[in-house]
Amino acid sequence: LADRAATSSDGPVTLEGTAYRGKHTAMDYSGVIGGEPAGIAILDHPKNLNAPSPWYVIIGKPMSYFSPAVLCYGPHTLAAGDSLTLRYRVFVHPGRWDADRLKQEVARFAR
């Protein structure tokens, strides 16, 4: 994946070194494969723990990574027998998605 970039539902992210952390309703991680732009977008459901989700992004060598990081800012304790459900929608798509496209998809997902 060449020319990697991350865009949140609030706009392009600014890395601190090779990493980024922030809270958003969605994140798109894109780049160029075989000369064509493509990406993966993940949408956070508004009922998820700590929504909007914290995100962790790495754009470095040799590692590329992005993920919602629901426990990024602190632990969450479950009592015995309790459960935790997290909902996300994942798109693998051609091109690069911007904040507006992410917001449109989040609006449909959150219904």
Side-chain angles (χ1 to χ4, degrees), residues 2-93:
D3 193 24
R4 296 165 289 164
T7 300
S8 77
S9 49
D10 298 308
V13 304
T14 301
L15 301 175
E16 292 183 22
T18 59
Y20 173 80
R21 288 185 184 187
K23 292 185 82 160
H24 306 284
T25 59
M27 185 72 68
D28 184 67
Y29 194 93
S30 64
V32 177
I33 300 173
E36 297 293 326
I40 299 171
I42 301 177
L43 314 180
D44 178 39
H45 194 276
K47 291 185 180 178
N48 281 346
L49 176 68
N50 296 328
S53 276
W55 294 86
Y56 192 57
V57 177
I58 297 173
I59 301 177
K61 290 187 178 184
M63 186 172 175
S64 293
Y65 177 81
F66 92 114
S67 177
V70 70
L71 301 177
C72 177
Y73 298 118
H76 179 74
T77 303
L78 292 174
D82 283 355
S83 64
L84 173 65
T85 299
L86 298 172
R87 293 175 183 88
Y88 299 96
R89 183 165 285 170
V90 178
F91 292 89
V92 177
H93 60 81

